[in-house]
Amino acid sequence: MKNPILTLAIAIAALTGAGAGVLAGDLPDLDGREIVVASENTYPPLQFVDPNTGKAIGWEYDAIAEIAGRLNAKVTYQNTSWDAMIPAVSAGEYDLAMNGITIREDRAEKVAFSAPYMRSEMFMLVRAEEDRFTDAKGFAADPDFLAAAQPGTTPFYVTVYEVLDGDEANPRIKLFETFGAAVQALKVGDVDLVLTDSTGGKGYVATNPDTFKLIGEPMGSEDFGFIFPKGSDLIDPFNAAIASMRADGTLDALNQTWFFDYKIGK
């Protein structure tokens, strides 16, 4: 049984080059407007706190800075939890939020999404020494294996519907308030698996190559977007900026910086 909320809400025209003719010089001018952005800072390498400097950094911070520069806007950031993020943006408490947020139909009922800025695939994150299973079928076959998940997230539903039996109350799924807490539970052996998109998973493996690894084939893909209050007048300018950054290679350069060149904690 497939969960219908895993169906993507938005056509992915931007990922195939739509808007390629939009250049930075053609973009709207927001005349120095101040934009308040919410972030959780727990999702390397998209956004996280640098352990060396204590500063919040990452792919999304660089992308938002580039967008603000192209649109002539000023950005301030506020930290909030994942649980509070979508309701707060829906209520207009923030102009937008970034948190590696998967574009989904149920979320699109509450907030508006930008065009996708990144596509990621879902993988199984396990301890580096794990050799008892190598794929979802092997994990599901042993009732003693436990998975950690953050309720309401795409990894939770993939765990339920793609890895296990479709029962959202399955006792083999241990729930955690944050993704970081789920990963910590995996690290200390309280659970055996965390489902993660390739973006976050690669970040954790790069940071802790002797502690974690990704296994198995990708289990579907997901697309990330920024979220806005419904009807926000920032959506079209942001979409135009994202299209221009895709066209001129800026998104590719950010991927190179954060997924290949940068080593978290180094």
Side-chain angles (χ1 to χ4, degrees):
M1 174 181 175
K2 303 295 184 180
N3 190 319
I5 70 170
L6 294 180
T7 303
L8 292 176
I10 296 178
I12 315 303
L15 292 177
T16 57
V22 180
L23 301 178
D26 302 324
L27 298 176
D29 187 339
L30 298 183
D31 195 27
R33 175 173 169 179
E34 183 173 328
I35 297 173
V36 180
V37 181
S39 177
E40 191 181 27
N41 295 332
T42 60
Y43 195 8
L46 291 185
Q47 28 81 14
F48 62 102
V49 175
D50 187 329
N52 295 321
T53 66
K55 180 182 178 182
I57 59 173
W59 192 105
E60 288 179 325
Y61 278 101
D62 284 0
I64 289 290
E66 181 68 25
I67 290 170
R70 295 186 184 210
L71 298 178
N72 186 21
K74 298 178 180 178
V75 178
T76 58
Y77 295 96
Q78 293 188 19
N79 188 252
T80 190
S81 69
W82 166 247
D83 287 345
M85 187 175 290
I86 291 178
V89 171
S90 178
E93 296 177 23
Y94 307 106
D95 293 307
L96 68 125
M98 61 183 196
N99 200 45
I101 303 171
T102 303
I103 298 170
R104 285 189 352 205
E105 288 176 348
D106 61 323
R107 293 172 182 167
E109 294 175 357
K110 302 170 185 176
V111 294
F113 279 94
S114 71
Y117 59 79
M118 183 182 297
R119 171 164 287 181
S120 185
E121 295 176 313
M122 195 66 57
F123 280 91
M124 302 172 72
L125 181 70
V126 299
R127 290 182 293 277
E129 70 275 12
E130 182 60 72
D131 60 5
R132 297 169 299 170
F133 59 93
T134 59
D135 55 21
K137 183 177 180 180
F139 174 86
D142 191 325
D144 291 332
F145 294 153
L146 302 178
Q150 190 179 2
T153 63
T154 298
F156 170 78
Y157 290 109
V158 172
T159 301
V160 170
Y161 292 95
E162 302 292 335
V163 178
L164 293 173
D165 57 5
D167 178 8
E168 295 185 12
N170 190 314
R172 293 179 62 184
I173 304 172
K174 303 304 178 183
L175 301 180
F176 295 86
E177 292 186 2
T178 68
F179 181 70
V183 174
Q184 181 62 26
L186 174 66
K187 180 178 180 179
V188 300
D190 290 341
V191 297
D192 306 291
L193 169 70
V194 175
L195 264 289
T196 176
D197 62 82
S198 56
T199 303
K202 288 176 181 177
Y204 275 98
V205 172
T207 307
N208 306 278
D210 297 328
T211 305
F212 301 115
K213 65 182 178 181
L214 298 175
I215 64 171
E217 296 297 320
M219 289 177 279
S221 62
E222 58 184 4
D223 296 288
F224 295 158
F226 303 117
I227 59 171
F228 303 81
K230 291 275 194 176
S232 172
D233 63 349
L234 291 173
I235 299 170
D236 287 344
F238 265 67
N239 284 348
I242 291 169
S244 74
M245 291 163 66
R246 178 167 287 107
D248 67 17
T250 300
L251 295 185
D252 289 336
L254 289 177
N255 291 340
Q256 179 66 40
T257 295
W258 289 104
F259 292 107
F260 297 99
D261 298 339
Y262 185 81
K263 302 299 181 184
I264 301 171
K266 300 298 184 181

